[in-house]
Amino acid sequence: MSDARMVRATESSHVKHVGTLVVAIALAAILIAAVTPRAQGQGAPQSSMPANGVAQVIELRIGDEIEPVMAEYVDSGIAEAAQRHASLVLITMDTPGGLSTSMEDIIRHILDSPVPVAIYVSPAGSRAASAGFFILLSADIAAMAPATHTGAASPLLEIGGFPLQVDETLKKKILNDATAFLRSYAAKRGRNVELAESAVIDGKAWTETEALDGKLIDLIANSPEDLLSKLDGRAIKRFDGSMVQLALHNSERVPFSMSFRQRFLSRIVQPDAFFILLIVGVLGLYTEFTHPGMVAPGVIGGISLVLALYAMHILPVAPAGVVLILLALGLFILEAKYTSHGVLAIGGIVSMLLGALMLVRSPLTHAGVSLGVAAGVTLPFALITILLMRLVLRSRLWKPATGREQLVGAPAEVTDPLVKLAEAEVFQGMVRLHGELWCAVAREAIPAGARVRVTRIEGLAVHVAPAKNHDA
């Protein structure tokens, strides 16, 4: 009866812990649902044009990699400017590049913007590289501050920052796609298309003076105020061919910042952060399933995995990368179970490294999980996974510490000699086991006072055998 209560208590404990994990995942899902982008623009509060008719300049800032949340922020800023009937959208930029899908989304909204868009590479020391170069050339007005540079937009195929040697046909296909995309809008903006293509084909880059002389940008300005002063009264040609004269004298500058939700999600959708969340989620759930009752790993893993799934929904994730990471997990588990002299562990490490570096695909740029993060996460993950599985396998060999099974192998003392009764095939008697008298059965006669050990339990009788090499 006590054993049954113990089993029920254990089952109840496991059900409680699983319930805790489910509740944690549900709460995380509700949190993500609460911060999921809505159909309307977000960021600065919406309002109409001021009653005094002062021109408004909506100011945005791209100060990091180009990723989906950054694209959403720029898109909502342009929408806000249109709703305010602003005179100009001013985007200050300093970026090393980013995802091609997000870059294309930003360019599309800039080209379709009803409000003129000026992109200003600033402050000194800033750059508009890779995807930033494509975005700079798409603006109605492209400007740079002194001591800045742009270009280096070659669509390299890289793994962890190391370029791959690809087939010449595939290389031409990628370059032709990138240059065609650039020509599709740069020519209409009056840019030097031939020079701009060299940034893609040859990876060239230019300082602000070189870019101005090469007709890649429209002007150089020392500050945002200087830029607005130079643009005041300037007539520009929009992408649809219409002419617009900017009236920016005494304009009102309205900063448009990322919302808290966008700032939070912008960290999640970074390829490195996404990979870390994915691994922490898998490791947390794996720990909970192999060691039920720890609770914390399951809760942390569940929340991390939900956040990783949200990022996976936004990022251009390559299925091959996910499959390689799952394969690595399987190899780590097998390494703990079978003797492979490290072959399975090495295979798992290589598989996870390749999976991490292939996880996020970006055709026109080389953004993705960095080699340092991939290696820094893979090695600890491999060690922890193998260690946990070995603990699980070792625990299966442990002798039960409770219940009837704990009596097997226990020493006992014969109180009534084990003798063969009439028509019986075994010898029967009594033994003292853990201070209790038990009916004992043996295959041979054993006198009273002899030391024996329990071999098995059958009903209310214990099967015993003479103890050998017993320490008194």
Side-chain angles (χ1 to χ4, degrees), residues 272-296:
D272 287 343
F274 162 59
F275 175 64
I276 294 174
L277 284 172
L278 180 64
I279 296 303
V280 170
V282 172
L283 185 60
L285 294 183
Y286 174 74
T287 304
E288 183 65 31
F289 291 147
T290 55
H291 296 72
M294 297 184 70
V295 181

Side-chain angles (χ1 to χ4, degrees), residues 238-251:
R238 301 301 314 282
F239 191 73
D240 59 4
S242 62
M243 297 298 296
V244 175
Q245 186 171 10
L246 299 177
L248 303 175
H249 183 65
N250 292 329
S251 58

Side-chain angles (χ1 to χ4, degrees), residues 20-36:
T20 302
L21 176 60
V22 171
V23 170
I25 295 177
L27 291 174
I30 293 173
L31 172 63
I32 295 301
V35 298
T36 300

Side-chain angles (χ1 to χ4, degrees), residues 33 100 109 134 146 161 222 253 282 307 346 433 454:
S100 60
H109 282 81
F134 282 83
N222 295 320
R253 298 168 59 184
V282 172
L307 294 176
I346 294 174
L433 175 64
V454 178

Side-chain angles (χ1 to χ4, degrees), residues 56-79:
Q56 288 189 335
V57 176
I58 305 299
E59 294 187 339
L60 286 75
R61 172 73 179 170
I62 298 178
D64 209 335
E65 293 184 358
I66 307 298
E67 35 79 11
V69 177
M70 181 66 74
E72 179 206 331
Y73 160 66
V74 174
D75 299 346
S76 59
I78 293 175

Side-chain angles (χ1 to χ4, degrees), residues 150-172:
T150 187
S154 298
L156 299 178
L157 292 180
E158 298 185 348
I159 289 185
F162 296 94
L164 295 178
Q165 297 297 328
V166 297
D167 179 77
E168 192 65 25
T169 302
L170 177 59
K171 182 178 180 181
K172 288 182 178 179

